Amino acid sequence: MPGNILNNLYRLNFPDCTREALSFLTSFISQDCATIPGLSANTEQIIVEICQEFVLFKSVRGPQKKLTAVQELHLLDMICTCFSEAPEKCKYRMFNLMFGAHGDGTVNLLTKLVSLALSVRCTPVLLCAAIWMQERDSLSPDVKGLTQRLVSDYCILFPDHSSVFSTLPSVSPLFACNFVTAATSLYSFAGPDSLPPLALLQHVSEWVYKDNTMCCESLRQAAIHSAYTTPVPGLTGWCVRGPLVCCQLKKKSSDVHISQSHVDSLLACLDKLHLALLQSIAFTAYVNLSPGLISASDLAHIAQTLQVVARPNPSVEEEAACTIALERLAQILQVSANTRTYIADRGKIKEMESLAKHKLPYNRLLSMVLNNQLLGVLTTQQ
């Protein structure tokens, strides 16, 4: 394109201006150009302006252009096509140019783009979005907002089983991994107000059950993107707290408008998820990944939350559910320690031991595992 790229684009209407802008940006970024021919102004500033004006439609020069719903869908389709056809080396640079800056309008467009990418199975967009999520942390408002919208679109608004979500790990394993991490922080399963939707729990339990590698996808990326979190702590929280919460929901089902069959379905998913989680932790040991799936600090936090979920004078049913919860915590601690996939911390293990002795119902398995862990850490330090 000639040097007066901006003037040319300003003369075009949508969608031609966007199509030309995406083509120029892809070509410019993929060639690692230092300057734009014919222009002496700040190159980075011009690239940002092209993206803002003709892709994101967040004008810096004049009144904002408002796209209709049909035009916006056309825009999203052009972006998906652009990422599908762009050279590999420039895809994330393009994505970061569009969505790296914070702003409600940008995140809103990104959410719609990811939702479309899910429905059309556009792997390049999902991979870029997965890295974007990983760099921002699953607890960030932007990532939580994106996750909540996707859960709403694919797990709540439509009661039927979503074929789009069913195949997500095969379309983009890293996106599925980081999505689950964010979902477990959004829905903590700590009480009636933080239950994950049943459809979401069904999808997640099936994903982890079918693919033992999914939980460690973000850890695989650690050498490239040092910031990472894994879904294992959040899923452990679901599996450990879930039986107690479900037991209490059964007693209060008329108050919280949740049927017995719904609670039974949640429990069935948790049983399946717990087994799948143990298999996933064990699998990670065979692919030579450094410790990092879960930490003693994560497990201590989950143990702390059981004090809130476990009531002072539990019923027989609640005692049984608490036994399941504590044994699951012990099993995950034992498997992760034996496979060297967790980050040990003697202080946190002692904190769990104190909780097990003084704050939680006695559980022989948990006590044995914690004692063994303390001896193991002490031996290692000596």
Side-chain angles (χ1 to χ4, degrees), residues 2 13 21 41 69 98 103 106 114 172 187 204 226 246 280 291 315 342 364 380:
N13 294 319
M98 295 178 190
T106 302
V114 172
S172 180
Y187 306 98
V204 171
S226 57
C246 286
S280 295
S315 64
Y342 98 126
R364 185 168 178 265
T380 302

Side-chain angles (χ1 to χ4, degrees), residues 62-80:
Q64 303 297 311
K65 178 177 176 58
K66 180 71 173 176
L67 298 182
T68 65
V70 173
Q71 287 176 325
E72 186 173 65
L73 184 59
H74 193 177
L75 168 66
L76 297 173
D77 182 62
M78 284 192 288
I79 295 175
C80 280

Side-chain angles (χ1 to χ4, degrees), residues 14 47 119 122 130 154 187 279 281 314 335 370:
F14 182 85
I47 291 299
S119 65
C122 184
Y154 291 100
Y187 306 98
Q279 291 172 335
I281 294 170
V335 172
L370 289 171

Side-chain angles (χ1 to χ4, degrees), residues 194-341:
S194 58
L195 290 180
L198 176 59
L200 173 64
L201 186 55
Q202 288 171 333
H203 282 299
V204 171
S205 61
E206 186 69 10
W207 292 347
V208 181
Y209 183 78
K210 283 186 173 180
D211 185 0
N212 290 333
T213 69
M214 195 200 75
C215 287
C216 64
E217 286 297 330
S218 58
L219 188 53
R220 290 177 190 271
Q221 295 283 318
I224 306 170
H225 306 282
S226 57
Y228 76 92
T229 49
T230 79
V232 175
L235 293 177
T236 300
W238 281 9
C239 293
V240 171
R241 288 188 295 265
L244 268 170
V245 173
C246 286
C247 181
Q248 293 170 2
L249 285 172
K250 279 188 174 183
K251 299 184 70 173
K252 301 178 180 178
S253 58
S254 58
D255 298 331
V256 295
H257 309 293
I258 295 177
S259 67
Q260 297 279 349
S261 62
H262 185 92
V263 176
D264 289 339
S265 296
L266 290 173
L267 284 169
C269 286
L270 291 173
D271 290 344
K272 182 177 183 178
L273 179 60
H274 177 61
L275 174 61
L277 192 56
L278 292 174
Q279 291 172 335
S280 295
I281 294 170
F283 168 81
T284 308
Y286 293 106
V287 291
N288 296 319
L289 289 173
S290 60
L293 272 184
I294 195 167
S295 69
S297 179
D298 295 322
L299 293 170
H301 172 72
I302 293 168
Q304 286 276 6
T305 64
L306 286 178
Q307 295 180 86
V308 179
V309 180
R311 297 196 298 184
N313 299 305
S315 64
V316 174
E317 293 81 5
E318 285 174 331
E319 283 185 346
C322 195
T323 297
I324 293 173
L326 294 172
E327 289 188 348
R328 284 182 177 178
L329 181 65
Q331 289 164 4
I332 289 173
L333 172 58
Q334 183 67 28
V335 172
S336 60
N338 286 350
T339 55
R340 300 182 183 276
T341 54

Side-chain angles (χ1 to χ4, degrees), residues 16-268:
D16 295 329
C17 61
T18 299
R19 189 178 296 108
E20 292 296 328
L22 288 171
S23 176
F24 174 80
L25 292 172
T26 303
S27 175
F28 183 84
I29 292 174
S30 64
Q31 294 175 34
D32 291 318
C33 298
T35 60
I36 299 175
L39 287 177
S40 59
N42 185 295
T43 302
E44 184 177 345
Q45 181 180 335
I46 293 172
I47 291 299
V48 169
E49 184 174 347
I50 291 172
C51 182
Q52 293 282 317
E53 294 281 348
F54 306 107
V55 179
L56 303 177
F57 291 96
K58 296 171 66 68
S59 179
V60 295
R61 289 196 178 189
Q64 303 297 311
K65 178 177 176 58
K66 180 71 173 176
L67 298 182
T68 65
V70 173
Q71 287 176 325
E72 186 173 65
L73 184 59
H74 193 177
L75 168 66
L76 297 173
D77 182 62
M78 284 192 288
I79 295 175
C80 280
T81 301
C82 172
F83 279 96
S84 296
E85 297 174 352
E88 202 64 37
K89 68 176 183 178
C90 77
K91 287 180 180 179
Y92 191 66
R93 289 178 63 188
M94 285 276 291
F95 190 91
N96 202 43
L97 174 65
M98 295 178 190
F99 304 109
H102 293 273
D104 293 339
T106 302
V107 174
N108 185 45
L109 183 67
L110 170 60
T111 302
K112 294 175 182 178
L113 176 66
V114 172
S115 187
L116 177 64
L118 278 170
S119 65
V120 300
R121 293 172 169 78
C122 184
T123 300
V125 167
L126 294 176
L127 177 58
C128 289
I131 296 170
W132 178 89
M133 295 170 79
Q134 193 159 320
E135 290 181 343
R136 272 156 186 74
D137 189 276
S138 62
L139 297 176
S140 72
D142 288 347
V143 173
K144 280 189 170 182
L146 170 63
T147 304
Q148 193 165 34
R149 173 64 182 271
L150 296 177
V151 172
S152 177
D153 285 353
Y154 291 100
C155 299
I156 297 176
L157 293 180
F158 300 100
D160 295 333
H161 192 70
S162 170
S163 60
V164 171
F165 252 37
S166 296
T167 58
L168 178 56
S170 62
V171 176
S172 180
L174 183 61
F175 184 85
C177 175
N178 289 339
F179 170 79
V180 173
T181 303
T184 57
S185 68
L186 188 63
Y187 306 98
S188 63
F189 219 136
D193 296 333
S194 58
L195 290 180
L198 176 59
L200 173 64
L201 186 55
Q202 288 171 333
H203 282 299
V204 171
S205 61
E206 186 69 10
W207 292 347
V208 181
Y209 183 78
K210 283 186 173 180
D211 185 0
N212 290 333
T213 69
M214 195 200 75
C215 287
C216 64
E217 286 297 330
S218 58
L219 188 53
R220 290 177 190 271
Q221 295 283 318
I224 306 170
H225 306 282
S226 57
Y228 76 92
T229 49
T230 79
V232 175
L235 293 177
T236 300
W238 281 9
C239 293
V240 171
R241 288 188 295 265
L244 268 170
V245 173
C246 286
C247 181
Q248 293 170 2
L249 285 172
K250 279 188 174 183
K251 299 184 70 173
K252 301 178 180 178
S253 58
S254 58
D255 298 331
V256 295
H257 309 293
I258 295 177
S259 67
Q260 297 279 349
S261 62
H262 185 92
V263 176
D264 289 339
S265 296
L266 290 173
L267 284 169

